[in-house]
Amino acid sequence: MKHIGNNTEEAALKKSNLGYVLVLIAALMWGSIGIFVNGISAMGVSSQSMAAFRLLSGAVLMAPVLAFMGCQGGAREGKASGPLTLFKASPKELVPCALVGIVGLAAANTCYYECMGEVGMSTASVLLYTSPVFGVMLGRVLYREDVTPNKLVAIVFNIVGCVLAVTNGDLSGFHFSVWGVTSGVIAGLCGASLAVFSRIATKTVHPLAVTFWGFVFGGAVMAAIAAPWPDVAAAMSPQLLLLFLGFGLIPTAVAYILYMQGLSMGLETSKVPVVMSFETVVTVLLGIGVYAEPAGAIKVLGIVLVLASILIMNTDFSKLRNSVFVGHVIESMTFKPNAWWTEKSQDMDLFKERTGIALEPTVQESPWYFVR
């Protein structure tokens, strides 16, 4: 029975590790958002209009995928296959999906843009990085997840690293206003709640369906707030359509599919925002490589701290201390004079047996006889 229990724990651990990898890949794709944003904004489309069309285009692109998977038998147990199978959800099941879209996507975006308008992009970016703090708080309150020392260290590393990577250590552009800071903190809280609502929704609804309905609800709210139609109509061109296609596909539909699938694998809510911060690393590296932004030592330090925070957050140091590898390392670094002297004495006896020459230490009491 104990063996079966160990196998179950190992299988659950492998499943959660795969989930974190999927979230990491999703963060990698989110890091490419800047490429699409720069291209679309250069054509005269506002940030809020972009956010609305991003979610709506993501929903449009996901619809045929859900229909195809429903026909292939990708439905939940107890439901027949068909093109509409994965779209079906009860009102009770749609509530967490709606919260994913309205709070985790639409409200987070709206508050973030409001914060940028009040205090500037640098300050807004820093305030958004409070998300890991809220992640730990929500995980503790809702799921009784442990607040361990390595989580706290990882959060500090993560926030400091994100700030340094984005600002390159230049804090002179920071601005303050009560509403600006408040909206930035709310954006961080909404971003952290995305993991909570997604985790609830994927328990009863297929991860693809959660993503689709999240886009529908979030896109509808953003469209009502931003009224993007005049913006997009004025800038409409084949190039804009291609940009929106890429925007809706890579950092939206595919990224959120991977993210939702990862969350359905039993991840800790407190760890997810830290893993998601890999997006910052990708964004900074793309800025350096694609847009020739300066890469100073402080920015590199920030990237290292973010990567270290992800590693620390997902490392079980108690198991690591008790591992065979660490045991060998500690043993190799520990000097044992008695064992060392016994080994050297045997070497001296073997040398005498083979050559007939007896080696005598200069100082009999010292094991360091060979040091001249």
Side-chain angles (χ1 to χ4, degrees):
M1 292 294 292
K2 185 177 180 180
H3 181 66
I4 294 174
N6 289 337
N7 287 341
T8 304
E9 289 180 6
E10 288 179 6
L13 181 61
K14 288 181 179 179
K15 186 178 179 182
S16 65
N17 287 339
L18 176 60
Y20 288 120
V21 170
L22 292 178
V23 172
L24 194 68
I25 297 172
L28 173 65
M29 292 184 172
W30 285 326
S32 67
I33 286 175
I35 295 175
F36 298 101
V37 168
N38 286 340
I40 296 172
S41 62
M43 303 181 75
V45 180
S46 70
S47 297
Q48 291 196 356
S49 297
M50 267 189 278
F53 263 87
R54 177 194 176 194
L55 297 179
L56 293 174
S57 60
V60 170
L61 290 169
M62 285 205 64
V65 177
L66 261 72
F68 176 78
M69 289 192 65
C71 292
Q72 296 299 314
R76 288 168 288 164
E77 293 182 8
K79 289 194 176 184
S81 298
L84 299 179
T85 299
L86 292 183
F87 293 94
K88 295 176 182 178
S90 67
K92 184 178 179 181
E93 291 173 331
L94 283 176
V95 169
C97 296
L99 290 172
V100 166
I102 296 171
V103 179
L105 298 175
N109 275 286
T110 301
C111 290
Y112 182 59
Y113 295 139
E114 189 69 22
C115 181
M116 280 196 296
E118 288 285 320
V119 295
M121 186 175 293
S122 296
T123 309
S125 298
V126 171
L127 291 171
L128 189 64
Y129 300 136
T130 57
S131 182
V133 178
F134 290 117
V136 170
M137 291 169 60
L138 292 172
R140 178 61 182 172
V141 172
L142 299 177
Y143 302 107
R144 301 298 179 191
E145 295 174 359
D146 294 332
V147 182
T148 58
N150 62 310
K151 283 186 180 180
L152 297 177
V153 172
I155 287 173
V156 173
F157 274 38
N158 190 264
I159 294 174
V160 174
C162 287
V163 172
L164 294 180
V166 171
T167 65
N168 201 21
D170 183 10
L171 306 181
S172 60
F174 276 14
H175 303 285
F176 178 83
S177 80
V178 174
W179 173 237
V181 171
T182 302
S183 58
V185 172
I186 293 173
L189 175 59
C190 291
S193 70
L194 177 63
V196 175
F197 297 134
S198 300
R199 182 173 170 178
I200 296 170
T202 52
K203 287 182 179 179
T204 56
V205 181
H206 194 284
L208 289 179
V210 173
T211 308
F212 171 79
W213 286 115
F215 288 164
V216 170
F217 285 110
V221 171
M222 287 298 298
I225 293 172
W229 322 113
D231 252 7
V232 175
M236 184 53 65
S237 68
Q239 184 183 358
L240 183 65
L241 286 175
L242 285 175
L243 284 170
F244 268 125
L245 177 64
F247 200 18
L249 183 65
I250 299 171
T252 307
V254 177
Y256 276 101
I257 287 171
L258 296 173
Y259 175 74
M260 294 296 177
Q261 189 65 45
L263 286 180
S264 68
M265 295 180 174
L267 308 190
E268 288 190 44
T269 302
S270 55
K271 292 183 178 182
V272 173
V274 172
V275 178
M276 288 169 60
S277 68
F278 186 63
E279 174 190 354
T280 304
V281 174
V282 179
T283 301
V284 171
L285 292 177
L286 283 176
I288 295 170
V290 177
Y291 299 106
E293 294 177 357
I298 295 178
K299 189 173 286 190
V300 173
L301 174 62
I303 292 173
V304 171
L305 287 175
V306 172
L307 295 177
S309 72
I310 296 173
L311 180 63
I312 292 169
M313 180 65 89
N314 292 283
T315 300
D316 189 335
F317 288 96
S318 60
K319 288 185 178 179
L320 185 63
R321 281 195 299 269
N322 298 325
S323 66
V324 176
F325 173 75
V326 173
H328 287 322
V329 171
I330 293 174
E331 183 179 358
S332 67
M333 296 176 65
T334 305
F335 178 65
K336 300 177 180 178
N338 291 335
W340 179 86
W341 177 244
T342 300
E343 182 183 348
K344 292 304 173 185
S345 298
Q346 291 173 350
D347 291 343
M348 290 169 59
D349 293 339
L350 182 62
F351 184 80
K352 180 180 179 181
E353 180 183 335
R354 291 182 176 179
T355 65
I357 302 172
L359 295 175
E360 296 294 337
T362 305
V363 182
Q364 295 290 342
E365 295 80 4
S366 173
W368 304 100
Y369 67 94
F370 62 97
V371 179
R372 300 300 181 193

